[in-house]
Amino acid sequence: MSVKRRYKQVDVFTAQPLKGNPLAVILEAEGLEDAQMQAIARWTNLSETTFVLPPTDPTADYRVRIFTPDYELPFAGHPTLGTAHALLESGWVPKTPGQLIQQCGVGLVPVNLLPEGGLAFGAPAANITALSSQSHALLEATLNNIPRASGFEAYIVDMGIRWLVVRMTSAEACLQLNVDATALAKLQQQTQVNGIAPYGPCLNDPTLDYELRALFIEQSQLIEDPVTGSANACLARVLTLLDFPDGGETSRQYRVRQGTQRQRDGRVFVRYEQGQPWIGGETCTLIDGTIAV
């Protein structure tokens, strides 16, 4: 017998509907089995669907499980912000005013309510390693020999989800990338990354700092994600490594655009507090109702 459960579909990293990255949120997921969650995620056919459950850690406000149409993720960025938005909009009262604590596969992730609007999550700790020299040829083939920025390593950043972060010479060079799907599939297999996240500085727009893309092979198809919280969190960790590797109490912020090649206009703002990055953005609700499963 099916049960009606509260359901929202939200657009993350945008204040303008249809310009961000959609997310399905099942707000009452108790009683669903793993196979049912996977089936729902496959049916919504969005990049991720989240399922809200009671926390098992007493310090957390809620627990979330995150599914793509094919598998479960321990962490992802736009599902973190989108789920928090859906809960707050539904009347959820945080244990600590101004902050939610999400429990997920990588542990506890804080989500702050921003006074200027929107939400920001604390980037999880990450393991950062430079791409091995053995993989450089595959990377260049993946980029179709468009030159990377000189003097910058390509880094594999692992925070439960693994992105290969690659600096390009400019935002324009990033947008011009025509990724070789065959080489990318081999690169993902060789390095065990979820995808590649090329980025470049915006030299001609004073309102933006970087353009970022997130590309990967899934079910033998080249996919470009519209706006990616985890890739932005991985980039933020790389910039931490480059700008203040000693972890000093440095305060700075920057803005990223993502989704241009997908006819989206995702906006991500990153703020460092005591050297730690917080990944922020706005979210709007497009569908609010129930799902019978």
Side-chain angles (χ1 to χ4, degrees), residues 16-185:
Q16 183 179 353
L18 310 178
K19 290 294 186 179
N21 197 356
L23 172 76
V25 184
I26 311 299
L27 290 163
E28 299 164 335
E30 285 185 90
L32 289 173
E33 298 179 356
D34 291 8
Q36 289 176 295
M37 293 184 189
Q38 187 64 76
I40 292 168
R42 191 177 302 117
W43 177 81
T44 67
N45 201 34
L46 297 176
S47 58
E48 283 96 15
T49 299
T50 63
F51 299 85
V52 179
L53 297 159
T56 57
D57 187 315
T59 61
D61 287 276
Y62 59 94
R63 182 165 64 97
V64 68
R65 295 182 67 179
I66 305 166
F67 284 80
T68 76
D70 295 307
Y71 51 84
E72 184 174 5
L73 291 170
F75 169 76
H78 101 275
T80 294
L81 290 192
T83 302
H85 166 88
L87 283 168
L88 291 168
E89 188 179 63
S90 298
W92 197 275
V93 178
K95 292 179 180 178
T96 301
Q99 185 179 80
L100 287 166
I101 301 295
Q102 170 183 284
Q103 181 184 0
C104 60
V106 297
L108 301 179
V109 177
V111 182
N112 284 349
L113 286 68
L114 302 179
E116 66 270 26
L119 300 165
F121 67 86
N127 182 38
I128 304 175
T129 55
L131 184 69
S132 68
S133 58
Q134 292 89 342
S135 297
H136 280 176
L138 263 182
L139 173 58
E140 303 308 328
T142 297
L143 301 178
N144 265 320
N145 297 311
I146 290 182
R148 297 186 283 125
S150 62
F152 290 87
E153 294 275 8
Y155 289 101
I156 295 174
V157 187
D158 186 347
M159 55 175 59
I161 187 169
R162 289 164 57 90
W163 287 101
L164 175 57
V165 179
V166 181
R167 184 169 177 118
M168 307 302 294
T169 57
S170 66
E172 290 73 21
C174 182
L175 290 172
Q176 289 168 6
L177 275 177
N178 184 19
V179 169
D180 184 293
T182 300
L184 178 55

Side-chain angles (χ1 to χ4, degrees), residues 236-292:
R237 285 295 183 191
V238 168
L239 294 178
T240 303
L241 179 71
L242 297 176
D243 293 346
F244 31 91
D246 295 331
E249 294 187 7
T250 305
S251 177
R252 61 165 292 197
Q253 57 187 13
Y254 64 85
R255 290 184 174 269
V256 179
R257 179 175 61 195
Q258 189 181 348
T260 305
Q261 296 291 52
R262 291 288 312 274
Q263 289 75 54
R264 310 290 177 87
D265 189 23
R267 300 299 173 112
V268 181
F269 47 87
V270 179
R271 180 177 300 156
Y272 290 85
E273 297 179 8
Q274 297 185 344
Q276 297 301 308
W278 290 77
I279 315 303
E282 297 188 71
T283 301
C284 50
T285 300
L286 276 68
I287 300 172
D288 190 350
T290 60
I291 184 171

Side-chain angles (χ1 to χ4, degrees), residues 172-220:
E172 290 73 21
C174 182
L175 290 172
Q176 289 168 6
L177 275 177
N178 184 19
V179 169
D180 184 293
T182 300
L184 178 55
K186 293 178 181 177
L187 182 64
Q188 284 183 221
Q189 184 177 22
Q190 185 176 96
T191 60
Q192 293 299 294
V193 296
N194 290 84
I196 184 172
Y199 74 102
C202 294
L203 305 176
N204 302 313
D205 188 341
T207 68
L208 290 168
D209 296 285
Y210 300 105
E211 185 87 34
L212 182 138
R213 299 174 70 184
L215 302 113
F216 53 93
I217 302 297
E218 190 171 86
Q219 294 182 339
S220 302

Side-chain angles (χ1 to χ4, degrees), residues 8-19:
K8 288 180 183 284
Q9 191 162 314
V10 300
D11 207 9
V12 186
F13 289 120
T14 181
Q16 183 179 353
L18 310 178
K19 290 294 186 179

